[in-house]
Amino acid sequence: MKQSKHYMPTPKEIPLVTLSKKAEQETYPKGRYTKMTGEDHITPVVEKVYGKEKNPIHPEKSERLIQWKEVVENPKLLEDFVGQFTDYELARISVCAKNGWGMEAKGEAGMLYVSEKYNTPEFVVADGNNGVNLRIENIGFPTSVTVCATFNEELAYKTGATIAEEAKEHEINEILAPAINLHRNPLCGRAAEYFSEDPLLAGRMGGQQSRGLEEHGVVSCMKHLLANNCESSRLRNNSIMDERTLRELYLKTFEEAFQVQIPSTVMTAYNAVNSVYCAESEDMLQGIFVEELGFDGFVMTDWTSSDTCDIVNAMAAGNGWITPGGMDDTQTMQLVEGIQNGRIDRKRLEKSVYRMMKVILKFY
C-alpha cells in the first residue's frame, strides 16, 4: 500500500457540518430529508489526470489477427491481442452485451460481448452475496449480516467457497459479491447483503468471502464503491463528507478487505461522493484503489448507472465495463466518439480491456 494523498475533496460551495454529540442542536439533521443542491447531473468539482497512462500494449501490430485460443496457450500474447482491437472493438467489449432476466433465461445479471472475429470466450456474471442468484433451484445461504454476526472468518470463507462451487455448476464465471458497504442507514435496501456497521468486521468477513470465491475458481466483485447507504433517489444521491469520515468509515471497510483478498473486480456505486458520481471518480478509482490499495483488476458500473452518470466520463476515469449495456450500439458509439474527440484516452481504454481480459484469462 502506498502513502495516502488527499483525494475526493469536499465541495467548497457546499457547507459541511460534522455531526457532534457536543453540539446536537447545531449539527444534528432537522426535518425528513435534505435536498441535494445543484443540477440533476453532478459535475466534478476537481478534475485530475493521473499522469500519462503507461500503455501496456506493444506498438508493433501484426497483420495476422491473434486469436483468443493463442492467448490461452501463450498469455504473453495478451498485450498484442488487445492492441490489435479497433476503437469500435475496444468500446464494444467495454459494454455489457446482455443479461438473462427475460422469461426464457435463467437470470444471469450480465454477459461479456463475444467477438466472432477473435473467438473471445463467454463470460457470465450473476448476483449472489447469499447464493447464486438465478431463476433456478439453488442454495440459499444466511444473509451476510447473519454470517457476520458469528465473527467467524473461516465460516465466511467457506460460504464463498461453497457459492463458487455452485456457480461453476451453473456455468457462472463471476459472482457480484461480496457487498461490503456499512450499515449506516436502516432504510438502505441492500442492508441484507451488507455485513456490519463496523468497518473492521465488515472488511475482514467480506474479504474472506471474496477469498473463498476466488480460491475456488470464481471471480469475485467487491461493491459498491462508495458510501452506498441510501435507497431513496439512490441513482442521484450525493454523499457529502470530510476526509476523516471517508477514510475511517467508508474506505476503511475496503482497505481491511483488501488486506485479506484483493478482488479481481470491483463495482462502482450509483451515488455521488462529494459531488462526483462514483462511476466517474478518477480520484477514487485511480488515486485510491489503484495507486494506494494496489487494485489491478477491472472496474464495472452498477446496473443502469448510465441513467445518471456520463459513461464517457466513467470510462475516462478508469471504469472498464458499462452495465447492463445491450446488443445495440447506442452506448458503444458514445465511447467511440469519446475516443475520437479526445474525451477518452485510447490508452486508458486499452488498459481497462487488457485488465478485463487478464482476469478472464486467469479464471479461464
Side-chain angles (χ1 to χ4, degrees):
M1 187 183 301
K2 297 184 179 180
Q3 184 176 353
S4 297
K5 298 179 182 179
H6 296 292
Y7 293 117
M8 304 174 74
T10 305
K12 294 180 180 179
E13 68 273 19
I14 300 179
L16 177 65
V17 178
T18 303
L19 300 182
S20 173
K21 185 67 176 177
K22 296 179 180 179
E24 293 186 18
Q25 294 298 320
E26 295 82 1
T27 65
Y28 273 53
K30 298 177 177 63
R32 295 177 59 192
Y33 64 91
T34 302
K35 186 177 181 180
M36 188 177 76
T37 59
E39 302 296 329
D40 285 344
H41 180 74
I42 304 167
T43 55
V45 176
V46 177
E47 294 184 1
K48 293 184 180 178
V49 177
Y50 290 83
K52 295 290 185 180
E53 275 288 333
K54 290 183 179 180
N55 189 356
I57 312 306
H58 293 164
E60 314 85 39
K61 293 186 179 180
S62 170
E63 294 182 1
R64 183 184 67 82
L65 294 178
I66 301 171
Q67 299 296 306
W68 174 254
K69 182 180 179 180
E70 296 175 71
V71 178
V72 174
E73 295 171 349
N74 182 8
K76 292 181 179 179
L77 291 175
L78 181 58
E79 295 176 347
D80 291 327
F81 177 72
V82 175
Q84 66 190 343
F85 289 3
T86 65
D87 290 351
Y88 172 81
E89 289 163 350
L90 282 172
R92 177 60 268 190
I93 206 166
S94 299
V95 176
C96 179
K98 56 185 177 179
N99 59 57
W101 290 337
M103 293 297 292
E104 75 290 350
K106 64 179 182 181
E108 307 95 323
M111 306 172 196
L112 184 74
Y113 177 79
V114 175
S115 169
E116 295 182 1
K117 179 178 177 181
Y118 301 105
N119 292 306
T120 54
E122 292 186 346
F123 186 80
V124 184
V125 306
D127 284 314
N129 228 55
N130 311 119
V132 184
N133 193 352
L134 296 173
R135 199 179 292 116
I136 54 180
E137 289 186 1
N138 59 85
I139 301 170
F141 289 81
T143 59
S144 298
V145 65
T146 303
V147 174
C148 193
T150 67
F151 287 63
N152 187 330
E153 292 190 38
E154 182 181 2
L155 181 63
Y157 174 84
K158 289 182 177 179
T159 299
T162 308
I163 292 173
E165 293 300 333
E166 186 169 30
K168 288 187 291 186
E169 289 181 10
H170 296 305
E171 299 181 318
I172 299 298
N173 305 102
E174 174 170 4
I175 293 294
L176 302 176
I180 58 174
N181 292 85
L182 295 179
H183 288 163
R184 298 284 284 168
N185 187 330
L187 300 181
C188 178
R190 310 297 291 272
E193 293 179 73
Y194 299 155
F195 286 78
S196 174
E197 72 280 7
D198 178 75
L200 174 61
L201 181 59
R204 295 294 304 182
M205 296 291 278
Q208 291 292 358
Q209 181 171 324
S210 175
R211 188 168 73 91
L213 286 165
E214 301 219 349
E215 288 187 355
H216 288 78
V218 173
V219 181
S220 73
C221 178
M222 285 190 190
K223 59 184 186 181
H224 307 84
L225 315 184
L226 193 67
N228 180 69
N229 300 100
C230 182
E231 198 66 18
S232 179
S233 302
R234 63 179 180 165
L235 280 168
R236 59 183 69 247
N237 180 264
N238 188 13
S239 301
I240 305 297
M241 66 187 75
D242 60 15
E243 188 172 16
R244 182 179 180 184
T245 302
L246 177 73
R247 293 281 184 177
E248 294 186 7
L249 289 176
Y250 297 104
L251 275 174
K252 184 66 173 175
T253 314
F254 292 92
E255 183 181 329
E256 290 294 338
F258 272 44
Q259 299 301 310
V260 179
Q261 173 73 39
I262 297 180
S264 294
T265 69
V266 294
M267 181 189 295
T268 53
Y270 289 126
N271 57 284
V273 172
N274 290 340
S275 295
V276 182
Y277 276 115
C278 291
E280 302 177 26
S281 179
E282 189 174 24
D283 260 20
M284 179 180 72
L285 296 177
Q286 301 303 316
I288 295 173
F289 278 86
V290 172
E291 294 189 8
E292 289 191 10
L293 299 183
F295 178 70
D296 193 36
F298 77 88
V299 186
M300 68 182 76
T301 68
D302 202 347
W303 268 238
T304 70
S305 289
S306 57
D307 287 354
T308 47
C309 83
D310 184 321
I311 65 169
V312 175
N313 287 346
M315 297 303 286
N319 234 303
W321 205 38
I322 304 298
T323 63
M327 288 301 289
D328 66 83
D329 280 346
T330 302
Q331 293 183 326
T332 300
M333 292 311 299
Q334 290 179 41
L335 300 182
V336 171
E337 292 169 7
I339 298 171
Q340 294 174 349
N341 63 26
R343 291 182 62 196
I344 304 175
D345 185 347
R346 178 185 157 96
K347 292 178 182 178
R348 172 61 61 83
L349 197 56
E350 283 180 350
K351 193 167 187 177
S352 294
V353 173
Y354 171 80
R355 286 178 169 177
M356 178 190 299
M357 302 310 292
K358 185 173 69 171
V359 169
I360 295 171
L361 184 61
K362 179 180 177 182
F363 289 86
Y364 189 68

